[in-house]
Amino acid sequence: MRPDLEDSMRYIRSPLDRYRSFRYVPWGEIFPDFSGAVSEDESLSLANIIIRIGASDILDLGVGRGEQLLAVMRALETQGHTDKRFVGLDIDVEALESAAKILAGAGSPISIERMSWHGLRSENHAFRGKFDFAFLTGNCLTHSWLGDEWTTTAFLREFVRGFRSTLRPGGRLFIDSRNFDFILSLKGHEAAARAEIFRSLPNICYHGLSAVRFAFPAYISSSLVVFHYYDTEKEIWSANDFFPVTHRVMLEALVGLLEVERISWDYCDSYNGRSHFIQYLARSLP
């Protein structure tokens, strides 16, 4: 085994040497601090798409704790759009309970429902053809890897087929996913160097990042990326596994089922070679 690969593999479950004294905590414990508040630019971008296409019925395919959906609703309301109807789906019971509390005071009609994406593959699910706009943020699809690109792409296409089924003809699907092409390009860098690269990039996902709180890909391979999360003030750390769903795989999962209208990088139309995420906007064909 190459020495650099062997050295990198230890970070799958171990912290950087300089933080070896930090206490490991489960991802769910450290996540709220890293999540932070949803950025205004992000919520406005989604709201502006909804306004531009004239959507009335909006579906959040992974509502989680509800912060993202609430921010989009507020962004719409500030522009005078209070006539929208919303549904938030998730499978996690605790997240749904949190979302119900956070969204209880929302001005627009909203329903929070427990349902898995597998359920959307059913011919008779309750949400078929009900929405003008469906969105999935937060990198959810990169927890799906089945060992090789062909199998993973086929699996993702089935999810996308389910997402498409919720749309009316001409409705839009918005998905964002980590830019794993950029992450994979850093495979030859040492872990500490990758940490510095990621600390220098604005982050649209972990809004709680700061001088004392940072995240970066500590281990990178073609089938697994392990992100580390460090809070140097609390002296704790955690890790989360992702599967590198590349830009090509995402496009192959979408094309043929929907028409891809727009691709952006951290909500920008131009790409400078570095971004945390890629956003895809696709249209349901009649």
Side-chain angles (χ1 to χ4, degrees):
M1 180 180 294
R2 288 169 23 206
D4 60 330
L5 182 58
E6 185 175 14
D7 183 67
S8 180
M9 286 185 69
R10 65 195 174 102
Y11 295 129
I12 294 178
R13 293 294 177 262
S14 298
L16 295 178
D17 289 342
R18 66 180 299 184
Y19 303 115
R20 190 163 294 279
S21 64
F22 283 19
R23 178 172 60 90
Y24 177 84
V25 298
W27 163 239
E29 182 176 330
I30 206 171
F31 173 71
D33 286 338
F34 275 82
S35 178
V38 179
S39 75
E40 185 177 347
D41 288 345
E42 186 178 349
S43 54
L44 277 174
S45 294
L46 289 169
N48 288 338
I49 294 172
I50 291 168
I51 293 168
R52 179 175 62 81
I53 67 175
S56 297
D57 295 284
I58 295 101
L59 174 65
D60 187 341
L61 288 157
V63 69
R65 299 185 303 168
E67 294 100 336
Q68 175 81 74
L69 183 54
L70 180 62
V72 172
M73 295 170 72
R74 294 287 184 250
L76 288 165
E77 290 169 3
T78 59
Q79 299 183 68
H81 295 270
T82 58
D83 58 341
K84 311 299 182 185
R85 295 173 294 275
F86 300 87
V87 173
L89 299 184
D90 212 293
I91 191 62
D92 187 277
V93 174
E94 290 185 7
L96 289 172
E97 290 175 351
S98 176
K101 293 177 182 177
I102 288 174
L103 296 165
S108 302
I110 183 165
S111 173
I112 302 298
E113 306 286 345
R114 185 169 190 255
M115 189 176 199
S116 73
W117 296 340
H118 292 287
L120 296 177
R121 297 163 64 186
S122 167
E123 289 294 325
N124 302 312
H125 69 76
F127 305 106
R128 182 170 291 278
K130 296 288 182 68
F131 300 96
D132 308 301
F133 183 70
F135 68 97
L136 180 66
T137 60
N139 200 42
C140 300
L141 284 177
T142 57
H143 292 286
S144 303
W145 179 264
L146 299 180
D148 62 79
E149 280 196 6
W150 187 91
T151 308
T152 301
T153 301
F155 191 64
L156 292 179
R157 279 182 68 83
E158 287 306 305
F159 280 145
V160 171
R161 195 185 304 276
F163 301 160
R164 183 190 65 174
S165 74
T166 68
L167 297 173
R168 296 175 176 133
R172 267 65 165 197
L173 173 67
F174 178 94
I175 294 177
D176 75 352
S177 177
R178 280 197 182 277
N179 185 353
F180 281 104
D181 295 80
F182 168 53
I183 291 172
L184 290 170
S185 75
L186 302 176
K187 187 176 178 180
H189 293 64
E190 293 184 354
R194 292 197 293 269
E196 290 307 311
I197 290 171
F198 268 71
R199 292 185 83 161
S200 69
L201 287 175
N203 198 305
I204 66 162
C205 181
Y206 301 124
H207 308 293
L209 296 181
S210 66
V212 299
R213 197 179 297 125
F214 66 97
F216 74 99
Y219 173 76
I220 302 172
S221 76
S222 60
S223 59
L224 176 67
V225 172
V226 180
F227 262 75
H228 280 195
Y229 305 83
Y230 293 91
D231 188 321
T232 59
E233 187 173 65
K234 295 182 179 179
E235 296 191 352
I236 58 176
W237 79 285
S238 190
N240 202 5
D241 295 351
F242 296 97
F243 302 104
V245 177
T246 63
H247 181 50
R248 184 181 73 248
V249 170
M250 280 298 303
L251 286 177
E252 289 177 355
L254 292 166
V255 171
L257 296 175
L258 300 122
E259 177 187 2
V260 178
E261 287 187 331
R262 180 182 177 186
I263 299 171
S264 53
W265 294 264
D266 289 348
Y267 293 91
C268 295
D269 291 332
S270 60
Y271 183 47
N272 64 5
R274 292 184 174 188
S275 75
H276 285 284
F277 280 75
I278 305 177
Q279 290 78 37
Y280 303 86
L281 180 65
R283 178 175 174 268
S284 176
L285 302 172

